[in-house]
Amino acid sequence: MALRFVGKDPESGDHGSAAAWVDQETKDLVFQGWKADERITDESSKDVPIPEHEAVIRVPKRMIPLLREALDVAELD
C-alpha cells in the first residue's frame, strides 16, 4: 500500500494530529484524528453499530479544505 500524504491540521504544530492520506492503490481515504469521546461514540452507535475493529474519530472543522483535497486526489489519480 502506498499512501499519499495530503496534509495535517494546520493548528496542530509538531503534534501531528489530525491528518489525511489517500491510498494510491484503492483510493481509500485514511484519517488520523482524535478518538471520539464516550458521548459521541454512544450517540453514533445508535445509528450504526461499531464493530470491535473500528473506531469513531473526530476531525476538526478546520481540516475541511484538506479533506476536499484528499477527495480530489482520490478521484484524479
Side-chain angles (χ1 to χ4, degrees):
M1 169 175 39
L3 292 179
R4 178 175 171 180
F5 179 65
V6 177
K8 71 179 192 92
D9 180 354
E11 294 185 20
S12 68
D14 293 335
H15 302 310
S17 190
W21 296 262
V22 175
D23 180 322
Q24 293 184 305
E25 292 176 21
T26 65
K27 306 304 179 202
D28 289 345
L29 303 180
V30 178
F31 299 109
Q32 174 183 335
W34 300 280
K35 289 182 182 178
D37 62 26
E38 187 175 342
R39 180 184 64 83
I40 294 294
T41 300
D42 289 347
E43 190 171 329
S44 64
S45 68
K46 291 176 184 174
D47 298 313
V48 179
I50 303 168
E52 190 64 33
H53 64 279
E54 294 184 4
V56 177
I57 63 163
R58 289 187 81 119
V59 176
K61 178 181 177 181
R62 61 185 171 262
M63 295 255 327
I64 289 174
L66 287 174
L67 300 179
R68 287 190 179 119
E69 183 178 344
L71 292 167
D72 289 343
V73 167
E75 288 182 338
L76 294 175
D77 282 348

